[in-house]
Amino acid sequence: MGRRRGRAGRAAKTSFPRFFTKQLLAFLLLAFAVVVVDFFLYLLIAFNESERNFNDGTPATTVRVVDAALARQEDGSWSLAPDGAEALGEQGAWALLVDGAGAIAWERDAPSDVPRTLSPADAAMAAHYGSVADYPAFFWNRDDGLLVVGFPKGTYWHMGMTYPVSAIRNLPLYVLLLFTVDLAIFFTVYLVSRRRTQRAVAPILDALDGLSEGRPSTLRLRGDLRDVGERITEASALIEQKDAARANWIRGVSHDIRTPLSMILGYADAVASDGRAPEEVRAQAAVIRTQGLRIADLVTDLNTASRLDYDMQPLDLGRIHVAKLLRTVVAAHVNDGMDEAHPLALEVDADAAEAVVLGDERLLTRAVENALANARVHNESGCNVSIRLSVRGDRGGERASGGVGSASGGFAVMRVADDGAGISREGLAALEARLARSRTARSAAGCAAGAFDSSAASEHGLGLVLVDRIARAHGGALALEGAPGEGFAVEIALPLA
């Protein structure tokens, strides 16, 4: 499970940068959308200003209207057509016509502070600054003089701008340069923000990985994420307290059950073997003994689950001669007198006689005993049980992750099979699904409860779940086989040392 969780942790650390990248791209798209909206808004404003200031009623049109309306009569006097007078009146403007000598040849509503003579130099300066006596003025060159149209003070602002041709020619390059610099700034901000965010979030991801693996996590963060770190630390402490309470409860119940259970088994065994007792009483005592042994197995399974799930103790690893371990288990089975209805045979392949694995002998013994118990429990009327030890190049069955690796690349395979009632195809599928669910559950003991798709699956209890967990803790795997009327087989593959 360690490698799977490691991959999950790496996936989390790679998915977060992707999430951050998506957020940055969304921000860039939003910025681009804002630029596009601003551009069209600028066009709208420019069009509106153009309509207001560069079409009818604007200084340029007013000057053109006045120029067209101003005419000299045959007697030398000047006259302004009504449309010209109306245009000046609407704008509150005034007009002058300066002749070639700089004198005022004609005027209309000109303020008193406007000079009545304009030398060529004065006219040039006024035209350059667009102002006559601080009145915004616009000029129109005529054959008979210079037409000056003035507007009230403060209505218009004149700005003269001069650009070299080279600057206009290089304008596209300047725009491209600005765009490139902006892009570089965005990219730099992205890299810095991503790096800072990863540094800030990495401890949180590590703490969450630790929580998912049952390890306590303590976070001491600073800044805006301080509250997040404190909450994760509090959650870790709470989970640790609950796990400790549950593990202690299991140990306490197991301890309290052992003493009365030992007395029950002792008296039941004595009655069952007492030839003076009636046959019916001895049979009942044998049933009590059998059920008591099942309770003892359940207590042992609960303790094993507690160690695997809550204590999180490292495996007590050692080099284990597999054939020797199996012979010890078979001998204990025979000595307990359980081979009468379930005769047991051991077969060791020649190439597996010296097979050695690196593992916890107590846990591996428990795994084999659970597989044997599974055969006995589901074949109460009796069956033949066989254990075979072989060696092959792959583990078979479900691939497992984590645990002890294989130095030689081979696997020692312990196959516990019976020729009993077997299991239906649906029941086998349900049992395998249950084992799959237990691999994602934090607690092996917790996954034993609940409703399942098949009663055949639920009858297998915690035993096979623990066999699977023990195999995977050693870097191995569990495989199941069975068919109705053709027996049931449990195959445990462990990496060779």
Side-chain angles (χ1 to χ4, degrees):
M1 292 185 287
R3 293 180 185 173
R4 178 178 62 79
R5 287 170 177 163
R7 287 196 298 268
R10 290 193 295 272
K13 293 179 180 179
T14 56
S15 63
F16 179 79
R18 284 200 301 269
F19 169 79
F20 185 77
T21 300
K22 289 180 180 178
Q23 298 305 310
L24 179 65
L25 291 177
F27 170 74
L28 292 178
L29 290 176
L30 179 62
F32 178 75
V34 170
V35 170
V36 172
V37 172
D38 288 348
F39 175 75
F40 282 104
L41 186 61
Y42 167 78
L43 291 181
L44 179 63
I45 294 174
F47 176 77
N48 181 61
E49 290 295 323
S50 176
E51 288 291 320
R52 290 178 53 192
N53 299 315
F54 296 95
N55 291 320
D56 295 340
T58 64
T61 58
T62 300
V63 171
R64 287 195 294 267
V65 170
V66 172
D67 175 64
L70 182 63
R72 190 169 188 176
Q73 305 298 321
E74 292 181 357
D75 59 358
S77 64
W78 297 88
S79 66
L80 184 64
D83 56 342
E86 183 180 358
L88 289 175
E90 290 178 351
Q91 299 291 323
W94 51 267
L96 297 173
L97 180 63
V98 183
D99 61 16
I104 303 300
W106 170 86
E107 66 176 276
R108 173 81 177 215
D109 300 330
S112 59
D113 56 345
V114 173
R116 287 328 191 244
T117 59
L118 289 175
S119 65
D122 293 335
M125 293 296 294
H128 176 73
Y129 290 106
S131 174
V132 175
D134 294 331
Y135 291 93
F138 295 84
F139 299 82
W140 190 266
N141 189 30
R142 294 166 51 101
D143 293 338
D144 51 8
L146 180 65
L147 177 63
V148 181
V149 177
F151 293 83
K153 293 180 180 180
T155 55
Y156 293 98
W157 177 55
H158 179 79
M159 181 177 64
M161 300 181 67
T162 303
Y163 295 99
V165 175
S166 60
I168 302 300
R169 187 182 299 117
N170 294 331
L171 183 60
L173 295 178
Y174 296 151
V175 173
L176 181 61
L177 177 62
L178 290 175
F179 178 76
T180 303
V181 171
D182 291 343
L183 209 61
I185 293 174
F186 270 118
F187 186 71
T188 303
V189 171
Y190 161 70
L191 290 180
V192 174
S193 300
R194 175 174 173 171
R195 187 172 181 180
R196 291 182 61 186
T197 306
Q198 281 184 301
R199 285 182 177 178
V201 176
I204 298 177
L205 295 177
D206 291 339
L208 294 177
D209 288 341
L211 288 179
S212 67
E213 296 172 4
R215 292 184 283 105
S217 300
T218 302
L219 281 178
R220 296 289 183 266
L221 301 179
R222 299 178 179 177
D224 297 335
L225 296 178
R226 180 178 179 178
D227 291 341
V228 176
E230 291 178 352
R231 293 189 180 185
I232 291 178
T233 301
E234 292 173 0
S236 174
L238 182 61
I239 292 174
E240 189 175 6
Q241 290 175 1
K242 290 184 176 181
D243 286 349
R246 187 172 184 179
N248 291 333
W249 181 83
I250 292 176
R251 292 194 191 97
V253 171
S254 300
H255 179 270
D256 293 341
I257 289 176
R258 279 197 186 97
T259 300
L261 183 59
S262 298
M263 295 179 64
I264 292 172
L265 289 175
Y267 282 113
D269 188 59
V271 173
S273 60
D274 187 357
R276 296 172 297 175
E279 183 67 26
E280 182 180 357
V281 173
R282 285 190 294 168
Q284 292 174 349
V287 172
I288 294 173
R289 180 176 181 274
T290 301
Q291 297 304 318
L293 290 174
R294 293 182 64 177
I295 295 175
D297 287 340
L298 178 59
V299 171
T300 303
D301 286 346
L302 286 173
N303 286 328
T304 304
S306 176
R307 178 181 178 185
L308 289 175
D309 294 329
Y310 303 110
D311 290 348
M312 295 300 170
Q313 296 175 358
L315 300 179
D316 186 11
L317 298 177
R319 293 178 62 85
I320 301 173
H321 192 279
V322 185
K324 181 180 178 181
L325 181 144
L326 293 179
R327 292 190 185 99
T328 302
V329 173
V330 171
H333 181 89
V334 174
N335 293 334
D336 286 341
M338 297 181 180
D339 60 327
E340 297 177 0
H342 305 88
L344 179 60
L346 174 62
E347 179 183 357
V348 178
D349 290 356
D351 58 349
E354 301 301 326
V356 175
V357 299
L358 189 63
D360 188 314
E361 183 173 1
R362 190 175 68 87
L363 290 179
L364 293 181
T365 299
R366 188 65 204 164
V368 178
E369 289 176 347
N370 277 16
L372 290 173
N374 186 75
R376 295 196 307 270
V377 169
H378 296 287
N379 297 282
E380 293 184 355
S381 59
C383 67
N384 294 311
V385 183
S386 64
I387 301 179
R388 180 185 176 188
L389 175 62
S390 61
V391 172
R392 67 181 178 212
D394 57 44
R395 73 183 76 189
E398 296 282 348
R399 287 191 59 83
S401 301
V404 183
S406 174
S408 63
F411 290 84
V413 181
M414 298 177 287
R415 181 183 178 86
V416 180
D418 64 69
D419 59 0
I423 188 172
S424 66
R425 180 179 300 178
E426 294 77 11
L428 181 60
L431 181 57
E432 290 178 340
R434 179 182 178 185
L435 292 177
R437 286 193 298 270
S438 75
R439 291 166 190 148
T440 59
R442 187 173 180 274
S443 168
C447 73
F452 301 99
D453 299 334
S454 169
S455 59
S458 61
E459 288 172 358
H460 283 269
L462 186 59
L464 291 183
V465 173
L466 279 178
V467 175
D468 181 68
R469 288 238 170 167
I470 293 172
R472 294 171 70 83
H474 288 78
L478 174 69
L480 305 178
E481 295 178 10
E486 298 181 8
F488 186 80
V490 177
E491 198 172 80
I492 307 170
L494 301 173
L496 294 171

